[in-house]
Amino acid sequence: MSDEPPYTGRPTEFGDLSPFTLERTEFLGRTETPVRCFPVSLGGQVIGYLWASETEDAADFRPRRGMGTVGYEAGGPWRQRLKQARDAGFTAGEAVQLCVGGPEDPRGGHIPADAEELCLPNYEAVLRLAGAGPPPA
């Protein structure tokens, strides 16, 4: 018979789990806090919205309902820009502000320099604005 205690399978007994990490490398994709939001245009048509929390580490692109593949594919370039800004140490709000007035990307579109900034109560309001969420109660 062994003098060792029975294996309990507790996570602390697994040791180093490298190269796995729990560190988040992107902004959160939703928030309950107020957000700043800008319309994103491609070829003169609004295809979605780039938004950021005013107080949390949250920002993302939300395509407008009915944009189909164009809206879906536009998310890639925007999420890449947001990730690069976060990696460079910018806050979510700063990251979105950096995107205003840039050149039009053939897939992602752009935010015109004179675009109207919208202040919304939370991410759910962005969904409603994009036509993807329930109407306000």
Side-chain angles (χ1 to χ4, degrees), residues 3 6 29 58 60 62 71 73 78 90 126 135-136:
D3 291 341
D60 201 1
R62 180 67 197 189
E73 288 183 355
W78 290 110
F90 290 99
V126 176

Side-chain angles (χ1 to χ4, degrees), residues 8-101:
T8 61
R10 299 183 64 136
T12 57
E13 295 175 3
F14 292 132
D16 186 11
L17 295 178
S18 294
F20 302 107
T21 179
L22 297 178
E23 183 180 334
R24 203 169 26 87
T25 61
E26 297 177 345
F27 291 116
L28 295 171
R30 56 183 304 126
T31 182
E32 294 302 318
T33 65
V35 299
R36 296 170 42 208
C37 180
F38 290 93
V40 174
S41 298
L42 179 64
Q45 180 180 17
V46 175
I47 60 168
Y49 300 91
L50 192 68
W51 63 269
S53 169
E54 295 179 356
T55 58
E56 290 185 337
D57 192 37
D60 201 1
F61 170 80
R62 180 67 197 189
R64 276 185 61 208
R65 185 175 187 182
M67 289 293 103
T69 303
V70 171
Y72 177 79
E73 288 183 355
W78 290 110
R79 290 183 185 102
Q80 182 64 32
R81 289 179 196 165
L82 291 172
K83 182 174 181 347
Q84 289 171 344
R86 187 175 192 275
D87 289 348
F90 290 99
T91 66
E94 292 168 338
V96 167
Q97 194 64 46
L98 288 171
C99 296
V100 176

